[in-house]
Amino acid sequence: MNFATIGTSRITASFIEAAKETKGFTLTAVYSRSVQKAKDFAKIHGAENAYTDLEQLAKSNEVECVYIASPNSLHFEQAILFLKHKKHVICEKPIFSNTKELSDAYKVAEENNVYLFEAVRNIHSPNFQRLKEGLPDIGKVRSMMLHRSKYSSRYDQYLQGETPNIFSADFSGGALVDLGVYPLYIAVTLFGKPQGISYHPVMLESGVDGNGTLVLTYEDFTSTIICSKISNSFNSCEIHGEEGTLRFDNAGTITDLRLIKIASKEKVSLETVDWDLDMIFEVENFMRIIETNDDQEYNRLKDLSLSVLSITEAARKQNCILYKNEK
């Protein structure tokens, strides 16, 4: 399957490198608004074609799938364009600004007999599977502390008076939708949609959250999720049960997973691996779904994306965080 990319950032480069390890998934074109950036990016990554016109790229018979990693607010319009041209779409998280956009896009995908995926790498990894397999060993879950806090180099630009896309309400930015989705996806994939949510952000003058604490209420326990783009955390993530605790580093990649038993105080390593190209697992899963028409797995991923986006949307509205396309 031939694919194209939209965006020339580091995350796009990482996706391309992971895709090279996926049999039968070949980069044929790249897009950038800048002619020189498009040509340079194509040369670096071995793409035959460089585009600066999205309509022309969408009409290309040489492209069957597109990976979108543009600013968040542009995802929906770009995805709809390619879906209507019967191209499969893999869209970097957060997939869209709100659930209306996502529901509308799924409808367009269905009408054109193509697939639409949200690229969230952690839940597709073998490390996540090890985490899931370890849950029965801790007994009844009673609490959970998850986080993804990473100081952004773009915050330095923000402090100097600029407004990078990720710190802009016009471009659907903010800490929760950018980094909070990693721990949120873990929580929702493992335990489903919570009964209640409450978000407590630290707001920036640009109108988005620089960091925040999201509380998810389940029937028997509460989960606390911390996210930040203006500070770092070096704490582990933990899921606490009546018989033990699962502890791991980095909600984005889920490394150094350990089971700590209460009764015996035994500490057991659950053998996770720190993968250099951890995006390969989502790519392989998406390709398998397309090739085998695995609608059961596709619908599961659709439900997860809708659940996560509905939570971030509700959390934003609780705090009057409105994006440009919502005002």
Side-chain angles (χ1 to χ4, degrees):
M1 178 176 293
N2 295 332
F3 77 98
T5 60
I6 298 175
T8 56
S9 66
R10 183 164 52 88
I11 191 68
T12 307
S14 296
F15 182 88
I16 292 172
E17 291 305 307
K20 288 178 180 178
E21 302 299 317
T22 303
K23 185 178 180 180
F25 197 46
T26 305
L27 177 68
T28 58
V30 302
Y31 165 86
S32 174
R33 290 175 300 173
S34 164
V35 173
Q36 194 58 50
K37 277 188 176 181
K39 289 182 177 179
D40 291 346
F41 200 72
K43 183 177 180 180
I44 290 171
H45 296 286
E48 294 182 1
N49 303 291
Y51 286 83
T52 57
D53 187 310
L54 280 178
E55 286 279 354
Q56 289 183 2
L57 177 57
K59 293 176 181 178
S60 172
N61 293 325
E62 297 178 354
V63 174
E64 301 164 90
C65 178
V66 63
Y67 169 75
I68 299 175
S70 54
N72 299 342
S73 61
L74 304 181
H75 288 180
F76 176 68
E77 182 180 353
Q78 292 173 348
I80 292 296
L81 172 63
F82 283 87
L83 292 171
K84 286 184 175 180
H85 282 84
K86 303 187 184 304
K87 315 296 186 186
H88 304 293
V89 172
I90 301 171
C91 190
E92 188 56 48
K93 59 81 190 162
I95 186 166
F96 300 131
S97 298
N98 52 57
T99 52
K100 183 182 184 306
E101 289 183 346
L102 185 54
S103 296
D104 289 347
Y106 279 139
K107 183 178 179 180
V108 173
E110 183 177 356
E111 290 171 348
N112 288 276
N113 197 32
V114 288
Y115 290 100
L116 169 64
F117 302 101
E118 181 173 20
V120 181
R121 65 184 189 271
N122 59 350
I123 63 166
H124 298 276
S125 71
N127 290 352
F128 178 78
Q129 186 60 34
R130 294 294 290 143
L131 173 64
K132 185 177 180 180
E133 292 169 354
L135 272 180
D137 294 325
I138 65 172
K140 193 170 188 177
V141 173
R142 287 308 192 183
S143 60
M144 184 163 55
M145 292 284 294
L146 305 175
H147 72 86
R148 186 76 171 110
S149 300
K150 186 176 181 181
Y151 186 92
S152 171
S153 60
R154 292 185 177 87
Y155 188 52
D156 293 335
Q157 300 173 26
Y158 179 84
L159 293 175
Q160 293 170 4
E162 301 177 29
T163 308
N165 295 341
I166 200 60
F167 291 111
S168 168
D170 288 351
F171 288 94
S172 303
L176 180 61
V177 299
D178 186 57
L179 293 184
V181 292
Y182 287 115
L184 182 53
Y185 252 100
I186 291 175
V188 173
T189 305
L190 292 178
F191 301 106
K193 194 172 180 179
Q195 296 174 338
I197 70 163
S198 178
Y199 188 50
H200 309 274
V202 172
M203 294 296 297
L204 302 178
E205 291 184 3
S206 62
V208 301
D209 48 327
N211 71 15
T213 300
L214 176 67
V215 179
L216 309 179
T217 305
Y218 289 90
E219 182 177 357
D220 296 318
F221 69 95
T222 298
S223 172
T224 302
I225 291 175
I226 299 174
C227 58
S228 178
K229 292 189 69 67
I230 60 176
S231 58
N232 285 328
S233 174
F234 302 96
N235 291 328
S236 297
C237 297
E238 293 185 341
I239 303 176
H240 314 116
E242 292 182 346
E243 298 174 22
T245 294
L246 287 168
R247 187 175 185 181
F248 58 94
D249 292 336
N250 194 338
T253 55
I254 311 175
T255 55
D256 195 20
L257 176 62
R258 289 158 285 168
L259 166 65
I260 305 171
K261 299 179 179 180
I262 291 177
S264 65
K265 298 182 180 180
E266 181 184 5
K267 297 180 180 179
V268 181
S269 172
L270 298 187
E271 300 179 359
T272 53
V273 177
D274 192 357
W275 304 92
D276 291 331
L277 297 174
D278 63 332
M279 296 178 80
I280 188 174
F281 303 111
E282 63 181 0
V283 175
E284 289 178 339
N285 197 26
F286 298 156
M287 291 305 98
R288 186 192 59 78
I289 290 171
I290 293 172
E291 291 171 356
T292 64
N293 294 314
D294 187 352
D295 287 339
Q296 182 176 354
E297 174 65 1
Y298 179 59
N299 289 330
R300 184 183 76 88
L301 295 178
K302 283 174 60 178
D303 289 343
L304 284 174
S305 289
L306 280 166
S307 294
V308 168
L309 189 55
S310 70
I311 292 170
T312 60
E313 182 179 16
R316 287 192 298 105
K317 291 184 177 180
Q318 284 181 1
N319 294 276
C320 299
I321 302 173
L322 296 178
Y323 293 146
K324 183 178 181 179
N325 58 359
E326 297 172 327
K327 295 179 181 179

